[in-house]
Amino acid sequence: VKINGNEDMLEKRPYIEFLDFAVVFEILISHKGEDTVTVSVSNSLAETWNVLPPVIFKDAMRNSMKNFPAVVTTINDMLGLAPEEDDPRNTFYVMTNSIRHCGATTMFYEGELERTYKCIGPFSIIPSSVHEVLLVPDTLKIPSEELKGMLIDVNETIVADKDILGDHIYRFDP
């Protein structure tokens, strides 16, 4: 989640800070089709388990990578539109997990951004929501100010407040 604006919620939950994100933790109860039921990990639950946020993060990443692998696809494929006829490096990509719930965490999966880099080259990361991130290859030559404007517009008009991940654009070019 976005740190700024979620301070009240973050007081009650263990989390890991990364850039302007707070990685919070949930326990999946069930997932059927579009319906996903989770329980948030609270500070009291973490205290009962006697574990600190870095341990929860490590376990959550291991379990998520195993049970909900990363999916990187073109935005057209994700939306069910006709595929681009151009070079596949000239399109936006969506990175999420196999259930499309809290899929932005896939950017923390070990080696996932590096694997994507090998396929599309350097790219910008648009944190579009807690459920996915958009990857924009440098080959598109879209200025970062334009990408940030798109992100702010989508955050203001489409994404639910609770699902906003951030309002900064990040670059990946190892």
Side-chain angles (χ1 to χ4, degrees), residues 46-65:
E47 288 171 18
T48 300
W49 291 340
N50 194 29
V51 292
L52 296 173
V55 174
I56 300 171
F57 178 80
K58 181 181 172 189
D59 291 345
M61 287 301 105
R62 185 182 65 245
N63 289 331
S64 293
M65 287 176 67

PDB file of all heavy atoms in Angstrom, residues 46-65:
ATOM      1  N   ALA A  46       0.954 -11.040  14.735  1.00  0.00           N
ATOM      2  CA  ALA A  46       2.411 -11.204  14.604  1.00  0.00           C
ATOM      3  C   ALA A  46       3.052 -11.429  15.965  1.00  0.00           C
ATOM      4  O   ALA A  46       3.979 -12.244  16.101  1.00  0.00           O
ATOM      5  CB  ALA A  46       3.020  -9.990  13.915  1.00  0.00           C
ATOM      6  N   GLU A  47       2.548 -10.732  16.991  1.00  0.00           N
ATOM      7  CA  GLU A  47       3.069 -10.940  18.354  1.00  0.00           C
ATOM      8  C   GLU A  47       2.743 -12.346  18.849  1.00  0.00           C
ATOM      9  O   GLU A  47       3.567 -12.992  19.488  1.00  0.00           O
ATOM     10  CB  GLU A  47       2.494  -9.883  19.300  1.00  0.00           C
ATOM     11  CG  GLU A  47       3.065  -8.500  19.080  1.00  0.00           C
ATOM     12  CD  GLU A  47       2.336  -7.423  19.879  1.00  0.00           C
ATOM     13  OE1 GLU A  47       1.626  -7.745  20.855  1.00  0.00           O
ATOM     14  OE2 GLU A  47       2.496  -6.239  19.511  1.00  0.00           O
ATOM     15  N   THR A  48       1.543 -12.834  18.552  1.00  0.00           N
ATOM     16  CA  THR A  48       1.163 -14.200  18.935  1.00  0.00           C
ATOM     17  C   THR A  48       2.096 -15.209  18.277  1.00  0.00           C
ATOM     18  O   THR A  48       2.515 -16.184  18.907  1.00  0.00           O
ATOM     19  CB  THR A  48      -0.298 -14.491  18.520  1.00  0.00           C
ATOM     20  OG1 THR A  48      -1.158 -13.557  19.176  1.00  0.00           O
ATOM     21  CG2 THR A  48      -0.701 -15.915  18.862  1.00  0.00           C
ATOM     22  N   TRP A  49       2.432 -14.974  17.006  1.00  0.00           N
ATOM     23  CA  TRP A  49       3.351 -15.860  16.292  1.00  0.00           C
ATOM     24  C   TRP A  49       4.792 -15.673  16.768  1.00  0.00           C
ATOM     25  O   TRP A  49       5.649 -16.490  16.480  1.00  0.00           O
ATOM     26  CB  TRP A  49       3.314 -15.576  14.802  1.00  0.00           C
ATOM     27  CG  TRP A  49       2.068 -15.949  14.079  1.00  0.00           C
ATOM     28  CD1 TRP A  49       1.107 -16.837  14.469  1.00  0.00           C
ATOM     29  CD2 TRP A  49       1.650 -15.446  12.814  1.00  0.00           C
ATOM     30  NE1 TRP A  49       0.122 -16.918  13.525  1.00  0.00           N
ATOM     31  CE2 TRP A  49       0.435 -16.075  12.486  1.00  0.00           C
ATOM     32  CE3 TRP A  49       2.190 -14.529  11.921  1.00  0.00           C
ATOM     33  CZ2 TRP A  49      -0.250 -15.812  11.310  1.00  0.00           C
ATOM     34  CZ3 TRP A  49       1.517 -14.265  10.751  1.00  0.00           C
ATOM     35  CH2 TRP A  49       0.299 -14.914  10.449  1.00  0.00           C
ATOM     36  N   ASN A  50       5.051 -14.540  17.417  1.00  0.00           N
ATOM     37  CA  ASN A  50       6.392 -14.175  17.874  1.00  0.00           C
ATOM     38  C   ASN A  50       7.362 -14.046  16.687  1.00  0.00           C
ATOM     39  O   ASN A  50       8.466 -14.598  16.704  1.00  0.00           O
ATOM     40  CB  ASN A  50       6.921 -15.166  18.913  1.00  0.00           C
ATOM     41  CG  ASN A  50       8.129 -14.627  19.646  1.00  0.00           C
ATOM     42  OD1 ASN A  50       8.275 -13.417  19.808  1.00  0.00           O
ATOM     43  ND2 ASN A  50       9.010 -15.529  20.060  1.00  0.00           N
ATOM     44  N   VAL A  51       6.902 -13.341  15.635  1.00  0.00           N
ATOM     45  CA  VAL A  51       7.739 -13.111  14.461  1.00  0.00           C
ATOM     46  C   VAL A  51       7.769 -11.624  14.108  1.00  0.00           C
ATOM     47  O   VAL A  51       6.789 -10.905  14.320  1.00  0.00           O
ATOM     48  CB  VAL A  51       7.279 -13.921  13.230  1.00  0.00           C
ATOM     49  CG1 VAL A  51       7.489 -15.409  13.443  1.00  0.00           C
ATOM     50  CG2 VAL A  51       5.848 -13.624  12.867  1.00  0.00           C
ATOM     51  N   LEU A  52       8.880 -11.201  13.561  1.00  0.00           N
ATOM     52  CA  LEU A  52       9.061  -9.816  13.146  1.00  0.00           C
ATOM     53  C   LEU A  52       8.732  -9.667  11.661  1.00  0.00           C
ATOM     54  O   LEU A  52       8.769 -10.646  10.908  1.00  0.00           O
ATOM     55  CB  LEU A  52      10.500  -9.389  13.413  1.00  0.00           C
ATOM     56  CG  LEU A  52      10.910  -9.376  14.886  1.00  0.00           C
ATOM     57  CD1 LEU A  52      12.409  -9.106  15.021  1.00  0.00           C
ATOM     58  CD2 LEU A  52      10.105  -8.336  15.660  1.00  0.00           C
ATOM     59  N   PRO A  53       8.431  -8.440  11.231  1.00  0.00           N
ATOM     60  CA  PRO A  53       8.070  -8.225   9.827  1.00  0.00           C
ATOM     61  C   PRO A  53       9.052  -8.806   8.804  1.00  0.00           C
ATOM     62  O   PRO A  53       8.590  -9.368   7.799  1.00  0.00           O
ATOM     63  CB  PRO A  53       7.964  -6.692   9.717  1.00  0.00           C
ATOM     64  CG  PRO A  53       7.535  -6.274  11.092  1.00  0.00           C
ATOM     65  CD  PRO A  53       8.262  -7.206  12.029  1.00  0.00           C
ATOM     66  N   PRO A  54      10.376  -8.725   8.990  1.00  0.00           N
ATOM     67  CA  PRO A  54      11.254  -9.321   7.966  1.00  0.00           C
ATOM     68  C   PRO A  54      11.059 -10.830   7.798  1.00  0.00           C
ATOM     69  O   PRO A  54      11.169 -11.354   6.680  1.00  0.00           O
ATOM     70  CB  PRO A  54      12.670  -9.011   8.472  1.00  0.00           C
ATOM     71  CG  PRO A  54      12.499  -7.796   9.330  1.00  0.00           C
ATOM     72  CD  PRO A  54      11.150  -7.973   9.983  1.00  0.00           C
ATOM     73  N   VAL A  55      10.728 -11.523   8.875  1.00  0.00           N
ATOM     74  CA  VAL A  55      10.481 -12.965   8.791  1.00  0.00           C
ATOM     75  C   VAL A  55       9.153 -13.227   8.084  1.00  0.00           C
ATOM     76  O   VAL A  55       9.062 -14.120   7.232  1.00  0.00           O
ATOM     77  CB  VAL A  55      10.499 -13.610  10.195  1.00  0.00           C
ATOM     78  CG1 VAL A  55      10.096 -15.072  10.133  1.00  0.00           C
ATOM     79  CG2 VAL A  55      11.868 -13.444  10.837  1.00  0.00           C
ATOM     80  N   ILE A  56       8.139 -12.428   8.404  1.00  0.00           N
ATOM     81  CA  ILE A  56       6.844 -12.570   7.728  1.00  0.00           C
ATOM     82  C   ILE A  56       7.022 -12.312   6.239  1.00  0.00           C
ATOM     83  O   ILE A  56       6.498 -13.047   5.399  1.00  0.00           O
ATOM     84  CB  ILE A  56       5.787 -11.613   8.322  1.00  0.00           C
ATOM     85  CG1 ILE A  56       5.562 -11.904   9.816  1.00  0.00           C
ATOM     86  CG2 ILE A  56       4.469 -11.741   7.565  1.00  0.00           C
ATOM     87  CD1 ILE A  56       4.696 -10.860  10.514  1.00  0.00           C
ATOM     88  N   PHE A  57       7.787 -11.268   5.898  1.00  0.00           N
ATOM     89  CA  PHE A  57       8.032 -10.938   4.490  1.00  0.00           C
ATOM     90  C   PHE A  57       8.704 -12.102   3.771  1.00  0.00           C
ATOM     91  O   PHE A  57       8.258 -12.509   2.689  1.00  0.00           O
ATOM     92  CB  PHE A  57       8.896  -9.674   4.383  1.00  0.00           C
ATOM     93  CG  PHE A  57       9.236  -9.298   2.979  1.00  0.00           C
ATOM     94  CD1 PHE A  57       8.309  -8.632   2.183  1.00  0.00           C
ATOM     95  CD2 PHE A  57      10.471  -9.605   2.428  1.00  0.00           C
ATOM     96  CE1 PHE A  57       8.606  -8.280   0.880  1.00  0.00           C
ATOM     97  CE2 PHE A  57      10.785  -9.262   1.124  1.00  0.00           C
ATOM     98  CZ  PHE A  57       9.849  -8.592   0.354  1.00  0.00           C
ATOM     99  N   LYS A  58       9.750 -12.642   4.357  1.00  0.00           N
ATOM    100  CA  LYS A  58      10.481 -13.754   3.730  1.00  0.00           C
ATOM    101  C   LYS A  58       9.558 -14.955   3.509  1.00  0.00           C
ATOM    102  O   LYS A  58       9.531 -15.542   2.426  1.00  0.00           O
ATOM    103  CB  LYS A  58      11.662 -14.151   4.607  1.00  0.00           C
ATOM    104  CG  LYS A  58      12.492 -15.268   4.054  1.00  0.00           C
ATOM    105  CD  LYS A  58      13.643 -15.614   4.998  1.00  0.00           C
ATOM    106  CE  LYS A  58      14.348 -16.871   4.532  1.00  0.00           C
ATOM    107  NZ  LYS A  58      15.303 -17.334   5.524  1.00  0.00           N
ATOM    108  N   ASP A  59       8.787 -15.312   4.531  1.00  0.00           N
ATOM    109  CA  ASP A  59       7.860 -16.444   4.402  1.00  0.00           C
ATOM    110  C   ASP A  59       6.760 -16.160   3.388  1.00  0.00           C
ATOM    111  O   ASP A  59       6.388 -17.034   2.589  1.00  0.00           O
ATOM    112  CB  ASP A  59       7.240 -16.786   5.761  1.00  0.00           C
ATOM    113  CG  ASP A  59       8.238 -17.387   6.735  1.00  0.00           C
ATOM    114  OD1 ASP A  59       9.332 -17.808   6.304  1.00  0.00           O
ATOM    115  OD2 ASP A  59       7.922 -17.425   7.948  1.00  0.00           O
ATOM    116  N   ALA A  60       6.237 -14.929   3.403  1.00  0.00           N
ATOM    117  CA  ALA A  60       5.166 -14.561   2.470  1.00  0.00           C
ATOM    118  C   ALA A  60       5.665 -14.615   1.025  1.00  0.00           C
ATOM    119  O   ALA A  60       4.965 -15.115   0.136  1.00  0.00           O
ATOM    120  CB  ALA A  60       4.636 -13.163   2.796  1.00  0.00           C
ATOM    121  N   MET A  61       6.881 -14.132   0.783  1.00  0.00           N
ATOM    122  CA  MET A  61       7.424 -14.165  -0.584  1.00  0.00           C
ATOM    123  C   MET A  61       7.639 -15.609  -1.034  1.00  0.00           C
ATOM    124  O   MET A  61       7.297 -15.970  -2.171  1.00  0.00           O
ATOM    125  CB  MET A  61       8.733 -13.377  -0.682  1.00  0.00           C
ATOM    126  CG  MET A  61       8.559 -11.875  -0.631  1.00  0.00           C
ATOM    127  SD  MET A  61       7.501 -11.205  -1.948  1.00  0.00           S
ATOM    128  CE  MET A  61       6.010 -10.862  -1.038  1.00  0.00           C
ATOM    129  N   ARG A  62       8.181 -16.435  -0.171  1.00  0.00           N
ATOM    130  CA  ARG A  62       8.405 -17.845  -0.532  1.00  0.00           C
ATOM    131  C   ARG A  62       7.084 -18.532  -0.862  1.00  0.00           C
ATOM    132  O   ARG A  62       6.945 -19.188  -1.896  1.00  0.00           O
ATOM    133  CB  ARG A  62       9.128 -18.574   0.605  1.00  0.00           C
ATOM    134  CG  ARG A  62       9.505 -20.020   0.255  1.00  0.00           C
ATOM    135  CD  ARG A  62      10.182 -20.775   1.382  1.00  0.00           C
ATOM    136  NE  ARG A  62       9.265 -20.941   2.499  1.00  0.00           N
ATOM    137  CZ  ARG A  62       9.430 -20.392   3.710  1.00  0.00           C
ATOM    138  NH1 ARG A  62      10.483 -19.662   3.976  1.00  0.00           N
ATOM    139  NH2 ARG A  62       8.547 -20.585   4.664  1.00  0.00           N
ATOM    140  N   ASN A  63       6.084 -18.353  -0.017  1.00  0.00           N
ATOM    141  CA  ASN A  63       4.779 -18.978  -0.247  1.00  0.00           C
ATOM    142  C   ASN A  63       4.082 -18.409  -1.477  1.00  0.00           C
ATOM    143  O   ASN A  63       3.492 -19.154  -2.267  1.00  0.00           O
ATOM    144  CB  ASN A  63       3.877 -18.803   0.980  1.00  0.00           C
ATOM    145  CG  ASN A  63       4.329 -19.643   2.147  1.00  0.00           C
ATOM    146  OD1 ASN A  63       4.922 -20.699   1.976  1.00  0.00           O
ATOM    147  ND2 ASN A  63       4.064 -19.162   3.347  1.00  0.00           N
ATOM    148  N   SER A  64       4.157 -17.102  -1.666  1.00  0.00           N
ATOM    149  CA  SER A  64       3.498 -16.476  -2.806  1.00  0.00           C
ATOM    150  C   SER A  64       4.134 -16.912  -4.123  1.00  0.00           C
ATOM    151  O   SER A  64       3.430 -17.199  -5.090  1.00  0.00           O
ATOM    152  CB  SER A  64       3.544 -14.948  -2.690  1.00  0.00           C
ATOM    153  OG  SER A  64       2.763 -14.528  -1.595  1.00  0.00           O
ATOM    154  N   MET A  65       5.463 -16.945  -4.164  1.00  0.00           N
ATOM    155  CA  MET A  65       6.147 -17.359  -5.391  1.00  0.00           C
ATOM    156  C   MET A  65       5.763 -18.791  -5.760  1.00  0.00           C
ATOM    157  O   MET A  65       5.593 -19.112  -6.932  1.00  0.00           O
ATOM    158  CB  MET A  65       7.662 -17.247  -5.239  1.00  0.00           C
ATOM    159  CG  MET A  65       8.161 -15.822  -5.250  1.00  0.00           C
ATOM    160  SD  MET A  65       9.940 -15.691  -4.962  1.00  0.00           S
ATOM    161  CE  MET A  65      10.567 -16.448  -6.462  1.00  0.00           C
TER     162      MET A  65
END
